[in-house]
Amino acid sequence: MFQTASIIISVAALLSWANYKYIRLPSTIGVMLISLLASIALVAFGEAEIGFRGRLAQLVAGIDFHAVVFHGLLPFLLFAGALHVDLNDLKREWLAVTLLALLGTAVSMFAVAGGLYLILSWLGLPAPWIGCLLFGALISPTDPVAVLGIMKAVGAPKAIETQIAGESLFNDGVGVVAFTALLAVAAGESLPSPTGAAILLIREAGGGIFVGAAIGALATQLLRRVDRYQIEILLTLAVAMGSYAVAEAVHASAPIAVVAAGLFIGNQGRASSMSPETERRVDEFWELIDEFLNIVLFLLMGLEVLVLPLRAASFWAGVAAIVVSLLARWIIVAAIAGMLRTAGRELCGGAVVILTWGGLRGGVSLALALALPLADYRDTLFAAAYIVVVFSIVVQGLTVGAVIRAMRPTDRRLLRGVGRHE
């Protein structure tokens, strides 16, 4: 484990240096793009470099990506993201965030599943309805790890940044609960009733919020009684790891728990329990953790192509999945914009485009894809998920800034936020 971690971290550091020195892309995208292109080159060389490629592929295959994401990186990345979200901004955008995170994710799951089911049948790669629903559940949630860093880098308007960040922080709970329930159905268990599914979601989300808020409140009281930044940073680490672990132990949503704890520490804890020196040190520490772990995660995603079961038909399935997922998100965001307009909280047309193009997918989707059941359709769906994630991060991530700049002059309401009128 130590040798594998040493190799991964060393490669991540070198690629990060090379990207900063020569390529100048956002660090996470640059590292992923370099590792992806290098992996594709190794695959293209084939037999000529089979020795090195084989050893590297064996190294990548030996990494449990699902465990690395959900039990290694995600607690820290979610906490770092939530720590810098202003709760007042989130309250102003609560209706848009709630609709996008709950209704948007649920409807998108079925829309993506339906479109993919038809296209895979047409391509001669039929997958059962339950498999397509699993794909819809893993690809519909926007990824907080991908979204938060890129939104900061491109300078998105505050209202749009809050909507996308808030949605991505909370919709993981919906996606993971739906995926877990559908995975049980694929294994032969009975499909939960709508009431049972609603109760499960409320228990997971409500339990996660309770656990995170309780641990955040306890940590705030401890922070208030000490003024030594080393101890206070250690307490924030304990909150990030402890809230995730406790939520898993009581079968609540661990991602939502760590988000709730991060919001509590980043707002109430910051305002009442931290000196200016501590606040600066805590922010610097978590910015470093966020940058470092993001680079490691995006490097691993780029290297995954070495073990990707990609065939020509699977490639076209991935292209179709890109179109289906983007179209489904655009329709759903437009419908939610209509609901908000009816409620007197207008969401302008430009924001629909930004929210659609800025809804990135990332490591969480890949981690869930690796948990797909061992069936004939697994390789096709995993390859499709990988292609969607790569397109999302590289193409959408690199162009979302241009989309935001193009939309902002057309409607100044983007700068004022949902629910405020000129």
Side-chain angles (χ1 to χ4, degrees), residues 136-183:
L138 67 88
I139 213 67
S140 292
T142 54
D143 192 310
V145 176
V147 169
L148 293 173
I150 291 174
M151 284 297 107
K152 293 175 189 173
V154 302
K158 178 56 70 174
I160 300 298
E161 182 182 339
T162 302
Q163 290 158 16
I164 294 180
E167 175 198 6
S168 64
L169 285 170
F170 286 104
N171 65 10
D172 273 351
V174 180
V176 171
V177 170
F179 184 86
T180 303
L182 290 168
L183 203 59

Short mmCIF file of all heavy atoms in Angstrom, two decimals, residues 136-183:
data_model
loop_
_atom_site.label_atom_id
_atom_site.label_comp_id
_atom_site.label_asym_id
_atom_site.label_seq_id
_atom_site.Cartn_x
_atom_site.Cartn_y
_atom_site.Cartn_z
N GLY A 136 -28.42 5.58 -14.84
CA GLY A 136 -29.04 6.87 -14.60
C GLY A 136 -28.79 7.38 -13.19
O GLY A 136 -28.54 8.57 -12.98
N ALA A 137 -28.80 6.47 -12.21
CA ALA A 137 -28.58 6.87 -10.82
C ALA A 137 -27.14 7.30 -10.58
O ALA A 137 -26.88 8.23 -9.81
CB ALA A 137 -28.93 5.71 -9.89
N LEU A 138 -26.18 6.66 -11.23
CA LEU A 138 -24.77 7.01 -10.97
C LEU A 138 -24.30 8.22 -11.77
O LEU A 138 -23.37 8.91 -11.36
CB LEU A 138 -23.86 5.80 -11.25
CG LEU A 138 -23.70 5.29 -12.69
CD1 LEU A 138 -22.57 5.98 -13.42
CD2 LEU A 138 -23.42 3.77 -12.67
N ILE A 139 -24.95 8.50 -12.90
CA ILE A 139 -24.49 9.59 -13.75
C ILE A 139 -25.27 10.88 -13.53
O ILE A 139 -24.82 11.96 -13.93
CB ILE A 139 -24.55 9.18 -15.24
CG1 ILE A 139 -23.41 9.84 -16.04
CG2 ILE A 139 -25.90 9.52 -15.87
CD1 ILE A 139 -22.04 9.38 -15.70
N SER A 140 -26.43 10.83 -12.91
CA SER A 140 -27.27 12.02 -12.75
C SER A 140 -26.76 13.01 -11.71
O SER A 140 -26.84 14.23 -11.92
CB SER A 140 -28.72 11.62 -12.42
OG SER A 140 -29.31 10.98 -13.54
N PRO A 141 -26.24 12.57 -10.55
CA PRO A 141 -25.75 13.56 -9.59
C PRO A 141 -24.52 14.29 -10.13
O PRO A 141 -23.59 13.66 -10.65
CB PRO A 141 -25.38 12.72 -8.36
CG PRO A 141 -26.07 11.42 -8.54
CD PRO A 141 -26.15 11.20 -10.01
N THR A 142 -24.51 15.61 -10.01
CA THR A 142 -23.31 16.36 -10.34
C THR A 142 -22.29 16.15 -9.23
O THR A 142 -22.64 16.00 -8.07
CB THR A 142 -23.63 17.85 -10.50
OG1 THR A 142 -24.30 18.32 -9.32
CG2 THR A 142 -24.53 18.09 -11.70
N ASP A 143 -21.03 16.13 -9.61
CA ASP A 143 -19.98 15.75 -8.68
C ASP A 143 -19.43 16.97 -7.95
O ASP A 143 -18.90 17.88 -8.59
CB ASP A 143 -18.85 15.06 -9.44
CG ASP A 143 -17.87 14.37 -8.52
OD1 ASP A 143 -17.41 15.03 -7.58
OD2 ASP A 143 -17.58 13.19 -8.74
N PRO A 144 -19.53 17.01 -6.62
CA PRO A 144 -19.02 18.18 -5.89
C PRO A 144 -17.52 18.36 -6.05
O PRO A 144 -17.02 19.48 -6.06
CB PRO A 144 -19.38 17.87 -4.43
CG PRO A 144 -19.55 16.39 -4.38
CD PRO A 144 -20.08 15.99 -5.71
N VAL A 145 -16.79 17.26 -6.17
CA VAL A 145 -15.34 17.35 -6.30
C VAL A 145 -14.97 18.07 -7.59
O VAL A 145 -14.11 18.96 -7.61
CB VAL A 145 -14.71 15.95 -6.28
CG1 VAL A 145 -13.21 16.02 -6.51
CG2 VAL A 145 -15.02 15.26 -4.95
N ALA A 146 -15.62 17.71 -8.71
CA ALA A 146 -15.34 18.35 -9.99
C ALA A 146 -15.89 19.77 -10.03
O ALA A 146 -15.25 20.69 -10.52
CB ALA A 146 -15.93 17.51 -11.13
N VAL A 147 -17.11 19.95 -9.51
CA VAL A 147 -17.80 21.22 -9.66
C VAL A 147 -17.16 22.33 -8.85
O VAL A 147 -16.90 23.42 -9.36
CB VAL A 147 -19.29 21.06 -9.26
CG1 VAL A 147 -19.96 22.43 -9.15
CG2 VAL A 147 -20.02 20.20 -10.29
N LEU A 148 -16.89 22.09 -7.57
CA LEU A 148 -16.48 23.17 -6.68
C LEU A 148 -15.17 23.81 -7.12
O LEU A 148 -15.05 25.04 -7.16
CB LEU A 148 -16.37 22.64 -5.25
CG LEU A 148 -17.69 22.22 -4.61
CD1 LEU A 148 -17.44 21.56 -3.26
CD2 LEU A 148 -18.60 23.42 -4.42
N GLY A 149 -14.18 22.99 -7.45
CA GLY A 149 -12.90 23.54 -7.85
C GLY A 149 -12.99 24.33 -9.14
O GLY A 149 -12.42 25.42 -9.26
N ILE A 150 -13.72 23.82 -10.12
CA ILE A 150 -13.79 24.49 -11.41
C ILE A 150 -14.63 25.76 -11.32
O ILE A 150 -14.30 26.78 -11.93
CB ILE A 150 -14.36 23.51 -12.47
CG1 ILE A 150 -13.33 22.41 -12.73
CG2 ILE A 150 -14.69 24.24 -13.76
CD1 ILE A 150 -13.80 21.31 -13.63
N MET A 151 -15.70 25.76 -10.53
CA MET A 151 -16.50 26.97 -10.38
C MET A 151 -15.68 28.11 -9.76
O MET A 151 -15.82 29.27 -10.15
CB MET A 151 -17.72 26.69 -9.50
CG MET A 151 -18.83 25.92 -10.20
SD MET A 151 -19.57 26.80 -11.59
CE MET A 151 -18.89 25.86 -12.97
N LYS A 152 -14.80 27.77 -8.83
CA LYS A 152 -13.93 28.80 -8.24
C LYS A 152 -12.96 29.32 -9.29
O LYS A 152 -12.69 30.52 -9.37
CB LYS A 152 -13.15 28.22 -7.06
CG LYS A 152 -14.00 27.86 -5.86
CD LYS A 152 -13.12 27.19 -4.79
CE LYS A 152 -13.97 26.62 -3.66
NZ LYS A 152 -13.13 25.84 -2.71
N ALA A 153 -12.43 28.42 -10.09
CA ALA A 153 -11.39 28.80 -11.05
C ALA A 153 -11.93 29.70 -12.16
O ALA A 153 -11.23 30.61 -12.62
CB ALA A 153 -10.75 27.55 -11.65
N VAL A 154 -13.16 29.48 -12.60
CA VAL A 154 -13.69 30.25 -13.74
C VAL A 154 -14.38 31.53 -13.31
O VAL A 154 -14.79 32.32 -14.15
CB VAL A 154 -14.67 29.39 -14.57
CG1 VAL A 154 -13.99 28.14 -15.09
CG2 VAL A 154 -15.92 29.02 -13.76
N GLY A 155 -14.51 31.78 -12.01
CA GLY A 155 -15.12 33.02 -11.55
C GLY A 155 -16.60 33.12 -11.87
O GLY A 155 -17.06 34.15 -12.39
N ALA A 156 -17.35 32.09 -11.57
CA ALA A 156 -18.79 32.10 -11.83
C ALA A 156 -19.47 33.14 -10.95
O ALA A 156 -19.04 33.40 -9.84
CB ALA A 156 -19.38 30.72 -11.54
N PRO A 157 -20.56 33.76 -11.44
CA PRO A 157 -21.34 34.66 -10.59
C PRO A 157 -21.76 33.95 -9.31
O PRO A 157 -22.03 32.76 -9.31
CB PRO A 157 -22.55 35.01 -11.47
CG PRO A 157 -22.07 34.80 -12.87
CD PRO A 157 -21.10 33.66 -12.81
N LYS A 158 -21.84 34.71 -8.22
CA LYS A 158 -22.08 34.11 -6.91
C LYS A 158 -23.36 33.29 -6.87
O LYS A 158 -23.38 32.19 -6.31
CB LYS A 158 -22.13 35.22 -5.85
CG LYS A 158 -22.43 34.72 -4.43
CD LYS A 158 -21.45 33.65 -3.97
CE LYS A 158 -20.08 34.20 -3.72
NZ LYS A 158 -19.17 33.18 -3.13
N ALA A 159 -24.45 33.80 -7.46
CA ALA A 159 -25.72 33.06 -7.41
C ALA A 159 -25.61 31.72 -8.13
O ALA A 159 -26.05 30.69 -7.63
CB ALA A 159 -26.84 33.90 -8.02
N ILE A 160 -24.99 31.74 -9.32
CA ILE A 160 -24.84 30.51 -10.08
C ILE A 160 -23.90 29.54 -9.37
O ILE A 160 -24.15 28.34 -9.29
CB ILE A 160 -24.30 30.81 -11.50
CG1 ILE A 160 -25.27 31.74 -12.24
CG2 ILE A 160 -24.09 29.53 -12.28
CD1 ILE A 160 -26.63 31.16 -12.46
N GLU A 161 -22.81 30.07 -8.83
CA GLU A 161 -21.88 29.22 -8.08
C GLU A 161 -22.56 28.56 -6.89
O GLU A 161 -22.36 27.36 -6.62
CB GLU A 161 -20.69 30.05 -7.60
CG GLU A 161 -19.64 29.23 -6.86
CD GLU A 161 -18.50 30.09 -6.34
OE1 GLU A 161 -18.30 31.20 -6.85
OE2 GLU A 161 -17.82 29.62 -5.40
N THR A 162 -23.39 29.32 -6.18
CA THR A 162 -24.09 28.77 -5.02
C THR A 162 -25.07 27.70 -5.43
O THR A 162 -25.20 26.66 -4.78
CB THR A 162 -24.82 29.90 -4.26
OG1 THR A 162 -23.87 30.89 -3.86
CG2 THR A 162 -25.53 29.35 -3.02
N GLN A 163 -25.80 27.93 -6.52
CA GLN A 163 -26.78 26.95 -6.99
C GLN A 163 -26.10 25.64 -7.38
O GLN A 163 -26.52 24.55 -6.97
CB GLN A 163 -27.57 27.52 -8.16
CG GLN A 163 -28.52 28.63 -7.79
CD GLN A 163 -28.87 29.51 -8.98
OE1 GLN A 163 -28.65 29.15 -10.12
NE2 GLN A 163 -29.41 30.70 -8.70
N ILE A 164 -25.03 25.74 -8.18
CA ILE A 164 -24.35 24.53 -8.64
C ILE A 164 -23.63 23.84 -7.48
O ILE A 164 -23.68 22.61 -7.34
CB ILE A 164 -23.36 24.87 -9.77
CG1 ILE A 164 -24.12 25.37 -11.01
CG2 ILE A 164 -22.51 23.66 -10.13
CD1 ILE A 164 -23.23 25.73 -12.18
N ALA A 165 -22.96 24.65 -6.63
CA ALA A 165 -22.25 24.05 -5.49
C ALA A 165 -23.22 23.40 -4.51
O ALA A 165 -22.99 22.28 -4.05
CB ALA A 165 -21.43 25.12 -4.78
N GLY A 166 -24.32 24.10 -4.21
CA GLY A 166 -25.30 23.54 -3.28
C GLY A 166 -25.92 22.26 -3.82
O GLY A 166 -26.07 21.27 -3.09
N GLU A 167 -26.27 22.27 -5.10
CA GLU A 167 -26.83 21.07 -5.71
C GLU A 167 -25.84 19.91 -5.64
O GLU A 167 -26.18 18.80 -5.23
CB GLU A 167 -27.19 21.34 -7.17
CG GLU A 167 -27.66 20.10 -7.92
CD GLU A 167 -27.59 20.25 -9.43
OE1 GLU A 167 -27.08 21.27 -9.92
OE2 GLU A 167 -28.06 19.32 -10.12
N SER A 168 -24.59 20.16 -6.02
CA SER A 168 -23.61 19.09 -6.08
C SER A 168 -23.25 18.55 -4.69
O SER A 168 -22.92 17.36 -4.55
CB SER A 168 -22.34 19.57 -6.79
OG SER A 168 -21.72 20.60 -6.07
N LEU A 169 -23.32 19.40 -3.67
CA LEU A 169 -23.01 18.94 -2.32
C LEU A 169 -24.10 18.02 -1.76
O LEU A 169 -23.81 17.11 -0.98
CB LEU A 169 -22.81 20.13 -1.38
CG LEU A 169 -21.48 20.88 -1.52
CD1 LEU A 169 -21.51 22.17 -0.73
CD2 LEU A 169 -20.31 20.01 -1.07
N PHE A 170 -25.35 18.27 -2.16
CA PHE A 170 -26.46 17.52 -1.56
C PHE A 170 -27.03 16.41 -2.44
O PHE A 170 -27.66 15.49 -1.93
CB PHE A 170 -27.59 18.48 -1.18
CG PHE A 170 -27.28 19.33 0.03
CD1 PHE A 170 -26.93 20.65 -0.09
CD2 PHE A 170 -27.29 18.77 1.30
CE1 PHE A 170 -26.62 21.43 1.02
CE2 PHE A 170 -26.99 19.53 2.43
CZ PHE A 170 -26.66 20.87 2.28
N ASN A 171 -26.81 16.48 -3.77
CA ASN A 171 -27.48 15.46 -4.60
C ASN A 171 -26.77 14.11 -4.57
O ASN A 171 -27.31 13.12 -5.04
CB ASN A 171 -27.66 15.94 -6.04
CG ASN A 171 -26.36 16.16 -6.78
OD1 ASN A 171 -25.28 15.79 -6.31
ND2 ASN A 171 -26.44 16.76 -7.94
N ASP A 172 -25.56 14.07 -4.00
CA ASP A 172 -24.91 12.77 -3.84
C ASP A 172 -25.74 11.83 -2.97
O ASP A 172 -25.79 10.63 -3.21
CB ASP A 172 -23.52 12.94 -3.21
CG ASP A 172 -22.46 13.19 -4.26
OD1 ASP A 172 -22.78 13.08 -5.45
OD2 ASP A 172 -21.33 13.52 -3.90
N GLY A 173 -26.37 12.41 -1.92
CA GLY A 173 -27.21 11.59 -1.05
C GLY A 173 -28.34 10.93 -1.81
O GLY A 173 -28.62 9.73 -1.64
N VAL A 174 -28.99 11.69 -2.70
CA VAL A 174 -30.08 11.14 -3.51
C VAL A 174 -29.55 10.06 -4.45
O VAL A 174 -30.11 8.96 -4.55
CB VAL A 174 -30.76 12.27 -4.31
CG1 VAL A 174 -31.91 11.71 -5.16
CG2 VAL A 174 -31.28 13.35 -3.38
N GLY A 175 -28.45 10.37 -5.14
CA GLY A 175 -27.90 9.42 -6.10
C GLY A 175 -27.43 8.13 -5.46
O GLY A 175 -27.70 7.04 -5.96
N VAL A 176 -26.73 8.24 -4.34
CA VAL A 176 -26.20 7.04 -3.67
C VAL A 176 -27.34 6.18 -3.12
O VAL A 176 -27.32 4.94 -3.22
CB VAL A 176 -25.21 7.43 -2.56
CG1 VAL A 176 -24.83 6.22 -1.73
CG2 VAL A 176 -23.96 8.07 -3.16
N VAL A 177 -28.36 6.83 -2.52
CA VAL A 177 -29.50 6.07 -2.00
C VAL A 177 -30.22 5.35 -3.14
O VAL A 177 -30.55 4.15 -3.03
CB VAL A 177 -30.47 7.00 -1.25
CG1 VAL A 177 -31.78 6.27 -0.93
CG2 VAL A 177 -29.84 7.50 0.05
N ALA A 178 -30.46 6.06 -4.24
CA ALA A 178 -31.14 5.44 -5.38
C ALA A 178 -30.31 4.29 -5.96
O ALA A 178 -30.84 3.21 -6.26
CB ALA A 178 -31.41 6.49 -6.45
N PHE A 179 -29.01 4.51 -6.11
CA PHE A 179 -28.13 3.48 -6.67
C PHE A 179 -28.11 2.25 -5.77
O PHE A 179 -28.18 1.12 -6.25
CB PHE A 179 -26.72 4.03 -6.85
CG PHE A 179 -25.77 3.08 -7.51
CD1 PHE A 179 -25.69 3.02 -8.90
CD2 PHE A 179 -24.95 2.25 -6.76
CE1 PHE A 179 -24.81 2.13 -9.52
CE2 PHE A 179 -24.08 1.37 -7.38
CZ PHE A 179 -24.01 1.31 -8.75
N THR A 180 -28.02 2.46 -4.45
CA THR A 180 -27.98 1.34 -3.51
C THR A 180 -29.27 0.53 -3.55
O THR A 180 -29.24 -0.71 -3.55
CB THR A 180 -27.73 1.86 -2.09
OG1 THR A 180 -26.51 2.63 -2.07
CG2 THR A 180 -27.62 0.72 -1.10
N ALA A 181 -30.41 1.24 -3.61
CA ALA A 181 -31.69 0.54 -3.67
C ALA A 181 -31.82 -0.26 -4.96
O ALA A 181 -32.28 -1.41 -4.96
CB ALA A 181 -32.83 1.55 -3.55
N LEU A 182 -31.40 0.34 -6.09
CA LEU A 182 -31.49 -0.35 -7.38
C LEU A 182 -30.51 -1.53 -7.44
O LEU A 182 -30.80 -2.55 -8.07
CB LEU A 182 -31.21 0.63 -8.51
CG LEU A 182 -32.29 1.70 -8.73
CD1 LEU A 182 -31.78 2.79 -9.68
CD2 LEU A 182 -33.56 1.06 -9.31
N LEU A 183 -29.36 -1.39 -6.79
CA LEU A 183 -28.39 -2.48 -6.76
C LEU A 183 -28.96 -3.69 -6.03
O LEU A 183 -28.75 -4.84 -6.43
CB LEU A 183 -27.11 -2.01 -6.07
CG LEU A 183 -25.81 -2.75 -6.37
CD1 LEU A 183 -25.49 -2.69 -7.86
CD2 LEU A 183 -24.67 -2.15 -5.58
#
